[in-house]
Amino acid sequence: MAGLQFLRFCWLQSRRFLGAVSVLGLSVWLGYPINVLNNVIPLLILVLGRADVVHLAGHLKESDHGAYDTVARIGPACALTALTTALAFACIMLTSNAQLFEFEVLGALGTSLAFVVFITTCALLAQVIRPSHYPTPKFANAFASGLTRLSIARPRVLIVAASALLAVSVVGYQQTKAWCPLYQNLP
């Protein structure tokens, strides 16, 4: 049984990775090398894809209307997210920097391509894999509820812990040594 749940999890998570892989394929197809700026685009696509997957899977689990209804109701919001992100990348085209132009093209086309991949695979996988109707694991509920109660009951503890984490992060950042200056990778 655990093997089937793992297989189901892998299939459901594949939607995000297909979008990121499609952006890398698009980069190769367009002949753009992966550089300091455009190497973040696949990660951005993963983040955007995760948000779309959460909304689509959440609606699919809460409603019993199926994949068509989910894509019809949630798909337009995901399309608007992809469209506004693609337009934001397209606005970078106003610069005359060659690497920024490649960044813009890969970002705009990659976001659009990833949206098509996400919606298509969501609709196809929803036909094959039904959402789980099991409740959220007790550990996750207990952990989230505990953090909520702690932050409400003792906000100063939360502020001190967050400040300590920030201080440790700043010290860690200061210890980082650059292999090469960023300006060496720009035209």
Side-chain angles (χ1 to χ4, degrees):
M1 185 68 169
L4 290 175
Q5 288 178 344
F6 178 73
L7 182 62
R8 181 176 181 273
F9 174 78
C10 290
W11 273 108
L12 291 174
Q13 297 305 315
S14 68
R15 296 178 275 197
R16 306 186 286 155
F17 296 110
L18 287 174
V21 168
S22 66
V23 172
L24 290 175
L26 179 67
S27 175
V28 171
W29 184 65
L30 292 174
Y32 293 155
I34 300 297
N35 59 34
V36 169
L37 292 175
N38 63 16
N39 70 354
V40 300
I41 293 174
L43 295 174
L44 177 65
I45 298 300
L46 282 174
V47 170
L48 292 173
R50 178 65 179 177
D52 288 345
V53 167
V54 165
H55 293 298
L56 291 166
H59 184 272
L60 186 63
K61 184 174 181 173
E62 290 177 2
S63 71
D64 292 328
H65 299 296
Y68 179 79
D69 181 64
T70 296
V71 171
R73 289 181 184 255
I74 306 300
C78 295
L80 283 175
T81 302
L83 177 65
T84 56
T85 305
L87 287 174
F89 277 115
C91 287
I92 301 171
M93 191 166 49
L94 300 174
T95 67
S96 60
N97 189 316
Q99 284 186 339
L100 285 180
F101 183 78
E102 292 173 4
F103 179 77
E104 173 273 328
V105 170
L106 286 177
L109 293 178
T111 302
S112 303
L113 179 63
F115 168 72
V116 171
V117 169
F118 292 148
I119 288 294
T120 304
T121 55
C122 176
L124 293 176
L125 288 175
Q127 297 295 326
V128 178
I129 300 173
R130 296 289 171 212
S132 169
H133 291 289
Y134 294 113
T136 306
K138 291 181 182 179
F139 170 75
N141 279 337
F143 183 72
S145 297
L147 281 179
T148 303
R149 281 192 302 274
L150 176 69
S151 63
I152 291 172
R154 301 185 186 265
R156 290 184 183 175
V157 171
L158 183 66
I159 291 171
V160 168
S163 298
L165 181 62
L166 177 63
V168 168
S169 300
V170 167
V171 169
Y173 177 75
Q174 302 256 331
Q175 300 299 319
T176 304
K177 303 289 184 227
W179 292 347
C180 60
L182 182 61
Y183 65 82
Q184 288 180 346
N185 295 310
L186 297 175

